[in-house]
Every structure is written in C-alpha cells, then in structure tokens.
Coordinates of all heavy atoms in Angstrom, one line a residue:
E570 N 107.2 85.2 102.1 CA 106.1 85.0 102.8 C 105.4 86.2 103.5 O 104.3 86.2 103.8 CB 106.4 83.9 103.9 CG 107.6 84.2 104.8 CD 108.9 83.6 104.4 OE1 109.1 83.5 103.1 OE2 109.6 83.2 105.3
D571 N 106.3 87.2 103.8 CA 105.6 88.4 104.4 C 104.9 89.2 103.4 O 103.9 89.8 103.8 CB 106.9 89.2 105.0 CG 107.5 88.6 106.2 OD1 106.8 87.9 106.9 OD2 108.8 88.8 106.3
F572 N 105.4 89.3 102.2 CA 104.5 89.9 101.2 C 103.2 89.1 101.0 O 102.0 89.8 100.9 CB 105.2 89.9 99.8 CG 106.4 90.9 99.7 CD1 107.8 90.5 99.7 CD2 106.1 92.3 99.6 CE1 108.8 91.4 99.7 CE2 107.1 93.1 99.4 CZ 108.3 92.8 99.5
H573 N 103.3 87.9 101.0 CA 102.1 87.0 100.8 C 101.2 87.2 102.1 O 99.9 87.2 102.0 CB 102.5 85.6 100.8 CG 102.7 85.0 99.3 ND1 101.7 85.0 98.4 CD2 103.9 84.8 98.8 CE1 102.4 84.6 97.2 NE2 103.6 84.6 97.5
A574 N 101.6 87.4 103.3 CA 100.8 87.7 104.4 C 100.1 88.9 104.2 O 98.9 89.0 104.7 CB 101.7 87.6 105.7
V575 N 100.7 90.0 103.8 CA 100.0 91.2 103.6 C 98.7 91.1 102.7 O 97.6 91.5 103.0 CB 101.0 92.5 103.0 CG1 100.2 93.6 102.8 CG2 102.2 92.7 104.1
I576 N 99.0 90.4 101.6 CA 98.0 90.1 100.6 C 96.8 89.2 101.3 O 95.7 89.5 101.1 CB 98.6 89.5 99.4 CG1 99.5 90.2 98.7 CG2 97.4 88.9 98.4 CD1 100.3 89.6 97.6
D577 N 97.3 88.3 102.1 CA 96.3 87.5 102.8 C 95.4 88.4 103.8 O 94.2 88.2 103.9 CB 96.9 86.4 103.6 CG 97.6 85.3 102.8 OD1 97.3 85.2 101.6 OD2 98.5 84.5 103.4
G578 N 96.2 89.2 104.4 CA 95.3 90.3 105.3 C 94.2 90.9 104.6 O 93.2 91.1 104.9
M579 N 94.7 91.5 103.4 CA 93.7 92.3 102.6 C 92.6 91.4 102.1 O 91.5 91.8 102.0 CB 94.6 92.9 101.3 CG 95.6 93.9 101.8 SD 95.2 95.2 102.8 CE 96.9 95.8 103.2
E580 N 92.9 90.1 101.8 CA 91.8 89.2 101.2 C 90.9 89.0 102.4 O 89.7 88.7 102.1 CB 92.5 87.9 100.8 CG 91.4 87.1 100.2 CD 92.0 85.8 99.4 OE1 93.0 85.2 100.1 OE2 91.8 85.6 98.2
M581 N 91.3 89.0 103.6 CA 90.3 88.9 104.7 C 89.2 90.0 104.7 O 88.0 89.7 105.0 CB 91.0 88.9 106.1 CG 91.9 87.8 106.4 SD 92.7 87.9 107.9 CE 91.5 87.7 109.2
D582 N 89.5 91.1 104.2 CA 88.6 92.2 104.1 C 87.7 92.1 102.8 O 86.6 92.6 102.6 CB 89.3 93.5 104.0 CG 89.6 94.1 105.4 OD1 88.7 94.0 106.3 OD2 90.7 94.7 105.6
V583 N 88.3 91.2 101.8 CA 87.5 91.1 100.6 C 86.5 90.0 100.6 O 85.3 90.0 100.0 CB 88.6 90.8 99.4 CG1 87.8 90.5 98.1 CG2 89.4 92.1 99.2
V584 N 86.9 88.7 101.2 CA 85.9 87.6 101.3 C 84.7 87.9 101.9 O 83.7 87.4 101.4 CB 86.7 86.4 102.2 CG1 85.8 85.4 102.4 CG2 88.0 86.0 101.4
G585 N 84.6 88.9 102.9 CA 83.4 89.2 103.6 C 83.9 90.4 104.6 O 84.9 90.3 105.0
D586 N 82.8 91.3 104.7 CA 83.2 92.4 105.6 C 83.4 91.8 107.1 O 82.6 91.2 107.6 CB 82.0 93.3 105.6 CG 81.8 94.1 104.4 OD1 82.9 94.5 103.7 OD2 80.6 94.4 103.9
I587 N 84.6 92.2 107.5 CA 84.9 91.6 108.9 C 84.0 92.4 110.0 O 84.0 93.6 110.0 CB 86.4 92.0 109.2 CG1 87.3 91.2 108.3 CG2 86.7 91.5 110.7 CD1 88.7 91.2 108.5
R588 N 83.3 91.5 110.7 CA 82.4 92.1 111.9 C 82.6 91.3 113.1 O 82.4 90.1 113.1 CB 81.0 92.0 111.3 CG 80.7 93.1 110.2 CD 79.2 93.2 110.0 NE 78.8 94.0 109.0 CZ 77.5 94.5 108.7 NH1 76.5 94.0 109.3 NH2 77.4 95.3 107.7
A589 N 83.1 92.0 114.1 CA 83.2 91.4 115.4 C 84.0 90.0 115.3 O 83.5 89.0 115.7 CB 81.9 91.2 116.1
P590 N 85.4 90.1 114.9 CA 86.0 88.8 114.7 C 86.3 88.4 116.0 O 86.4 89.1 117.1 CB 87.3 89.3 114.0 CG 87.4 90.8 114.4 CD 86.0 91.2 114.4
D591 N 86.6 87.1 116.2 CA 87.0 86.6 117.5 C 88.5 87.0 117.8 O 89.2 87.5 116.9 CB 86.8 85.1 117.7 CG 87.7 84.3 116.6 OD1 88.7 84.6 116.3 OD2 87.1 83.3 116.2
D592 N 89.1 86.8 119.0 CA 90.3 87.4 119.3 C 91.5 86.8 118.3 O 92.3 87.6 117.9 CB 90.7 87.2 120.8 CG 90.1 88.2 121.5 OD1 90.1 89.5 121.2 OD2 89.9 87.9 122.9
A593 N 91.3 85.5 118.1 CA 92.3 84.8 117.3 C 92.3 85.3 115.9 O 93.4 85.6 115.2 CB 92.0 83.3 117.3
T594 N 91.1 85.6 115.4 CA 91.0 86.1 114.0 C 91.4 87.6 113.9 O 92.2 87.9 112.9 CB 89.5 86.0 113.5 OG1 89.1 84.7 113.6 CG2 89.3 86.6 112.1
L595 N 91.1 88.3 114.9 CA 91.7 89.7 115.0 C 93.2 89.7 115.0 O 93.8 90.5 114.3 CB 91.1 90.5 116.2 CG 91.6 91.9 116.3 CD1 91.3 92.7 115.1 CD2 91.0 92.4 117.7
D596 N 93.8 88.8 115.8 CA 95.3 88.9 116.0 C 95.8 88.4 114.6 O 96.9 88.9 114.1 CB 95.7 87.8 117.0 CG 97.2 88.0 117.2 OD1 97.4 89.0 117.8 OD2 97.8 87.0 117.2
T597 N 95.3 87.3 113.9 CA 95.7 87.0 112.5 C 95.6 88.2 111.6 O 96.6 88.4 110.8 CB 94.9 85.8 112.0 OG1 95.0 84.7 112.9 CG2 95.2 85.5 110.6

C-alpha cells in the first residue's frame, strides 16, 4: 500500500495541474 500511495500521489499531478489545493488535499 505504500508503493501504491506513492503512485497515487504522482497521479494527483497527472490528472490536472495542482493549483492552490485546500489543506486536506495538500496533506494527502
């Protein structure tokens, strides 16, 4: 699950450019 979490984080940058995320999204 930790390897998957790393991939999930990278996907957050792929789905759309992260711009001014809320605090909860930034923490995720």
Side-chain angles (χ1 to χ4, degrees):
E570 57 263 34
D571 292 325
F572 286 105
H573 275 286
V575 175
I576 298 170
D577 291 345
M579 300 305 170
E580 189 172 47
M581 291 175 70
D582 277 323
V583 172
V584 171
D586 292 323
I587 296 178
R588 291 191 176 188
D591 59 39
D592 276 324
T594 301
L595 177 61
D596 192 64
T597 296

